[in-house]
Amino acid sequence: MAEAEVEAGAGRRAGEPEPAAWSRPGFDDRSRLLEGVRAYGLIVAMWMRSTMAYRASFVMTTLGNFVVTAFDFVTIMLMFAHVDALGGYTLPEIALLYGTSATAFGLSDLLFGSVDRLGRRVRDGTLDTLLVRPVPVLAQVAADRFALRRLGRTTQGLLVLGYALATLDIAWTPLRVVMLPLMVLSGAAIFGAVFVAGAAFQFFAQDASEVQNAFTYGGTTVLQYPPTIFAKELVRGVTFVVPLAFVSWLPALYVLGRDYPLGLPEWVAFLPPVVAGLCWLLAGLAWRTGLRAYRSTGS
């Protein structure tokens, strides 16, 4: 490729093909979003067909993913072989925290986990090939090498969540029933926004996937334990700075009838959809800024 800047939204040079519909002026954000979702689905379907061509390999890798992630909860169970409570929480209560956060993260990792490869594409210049395709770049990056084996993590989280619901004595109300799917879906959306924001950071830092992992994989590990065992500074950080507390801590404590950390009011348990929307707004702005700042490697 010539020594020219490849920038999203740059003018078309002579001899270049007509730009895709989604990149033309006047193509509104809603149409762009629908086009991106459609493209994402097509790319994912292609990778799923590729995966299913080797079904034995798929089954083994999925089981391996399930077993590896299951060790996290086995560790918690081993702790309870020596104690009756951890930070004032029983094993079934921690299982609820674990199950909701693990399921939400598993869904997000399945749908957006591939974006952590963006830094590698920026370094070796292969991102340029995505820029010239008639498909939104984020859809391509998120769907690239879609790993269906990550269902093992989601399945393991759902099993732990099922165990928690079967053993806990919860005074169920309509709001508590609705809260369960709401917190899982909103939590997956929040983690997805963190994935995208972390990918946007890699436009500038390039080799920064581990920084992103600190907030995604590290964040879900923190949420698997009750907030009472952590310092207040950490609890404030995951509540007001990177709002991962809205993935499981705050809504799950409402389901359990527990006091909220930091003396927060009860209504904050119903904010995860709002927080997810705000996170995606910020992640979208960060992604757009990073993409516009991208310069080709020139190779």
Side-chain angles (χ1 to χ4, degrees):
M1 179 178 286
E3 293 287 340
E5 293 182 351
V6 179
E7 183 173 358
R12 185 162 56 97
R13 296 193 299 269
E16 286 185 346
E18 182 75 11
W22 60 268
S23 64
R24 295 175 191 160
F27 196 78
D28 59 42
D29 290 340
R30 182 178 178 184
S31 299
R32 186 179 293 112
L33 175 62
L34 293 175
E35 179 67 18
V37 171
R38 177 179 175 275
Y40 176 89
L42 292 173
I43 299 172
V44 165
M46 177 192 71
W47 283 107
M48 289 178 65
R49 287 195 298 270
S50 174
T51 299
M52 288 297 111
Y54 304 94
R55 296 188 180 183
S57 174
F58 163 68
V59 171
M60 287 188 291
T61 54
T62 303
L63 286 175
N65 187 270
F66 175 91
V67 171
V68 169
T69 55
F71 279 117
D72 291 338
F73 191 66
V74 170
T75 301
I76 295 174
M77 294 179 67
L78 290 175
M79 291 182 189
F80 277 89
H82 304 282
V83 298
D84 295 326
L86 182 63
Y89 286 72
T90 63
L91 178 58
E93 289 176 321
I94 291 181
L96 181 67
L97 297 176
Y98 180 101
T100 52
S101 62
T103 303
F105 177 76
L107 289 173
S108 181
D109 189 36
L110 177 67
L111 298 175
F112 301 102
S114 295
V115 299
D116 64 2
R117 297 191 183 95
L118 182 67
R120 190 183 313 163
R121 284 189 173 277
V122 172
R123 290 196 307 275
D124 61 24
T126 56
L127 183 64
D128 294 355
T129 62
L130 306 186
L131 290 170
V132 298
R133 292 174 182 170
V135 178
V137 178
L138 181 56
Q140 295 182 73
V141 173
D144 183 43
R145 300 187 179 277
F146 182 81
L148 197 59
R149 67 178 182 277
R150 290 172 176 159
L151 280 174
R153 178 187 294 273
T154 307
T155 303
Q156 188 259 340
L158 284 171
L159 289 176
V160 175
L161 180 58
Y163 158 76
L165 296 177
T167 53
L168 283 170
D169 184 16
I170 298 174
W172 290 106
T173 64
L175 283 177
R176 284 188 171 126
V177 172
V178 171
M179 183 65 74
L180 283 174
L182 182 69
M183 64 194 293
V184 170
L185 295 177
S186 298
I190 292 171
F191 271 125
V194 175
F195 269 115
V196 173
F201 178 64
Q202 293 186 52
F203 278 114
F204 305 97
Q206 297 183 15
D207 192 14
S209 60
E210 293 306 318
V211 176
Q212 176 180 321
N213 292 342
F215 293 97
T216 52
Y217 291 90
T220 189
T221 300
V222 168
L223 296 178
Q224 291 169 0
Y225 295 89
T228 51
I229 70 172
F230 297 106
K232 286 188 176 181
E233 289 74 15
L234 176 61
V235 177
R236 289 192 183 97
V238 297
T239 303
F240 303 112
V241 181
V242 183
L244 297 179
F246 291 89
V247 173
S248 68
W249 276 355
L250 298 176
L253 295 182
Y254 171 80
V255 173
L256 293 172
R258 287 269 190 169
D259 293 333
Y260 297 167
L262 308 177
L264 294 171
E266 186 176 277
W267 53 265
V268 298
F270 299 91
L271 291 182
V274 177
V275 172
L278 291 174
C279 287
W280 268 103
L281 177 62
L282 294 174
L285 292 173
W287 175 264
R288 208 172 266 190
T289 300
L291 190 59
R292 287 174 175 168
Y294 172 71
R295 299 294 184 270
S296 170
T297 58
S299 58

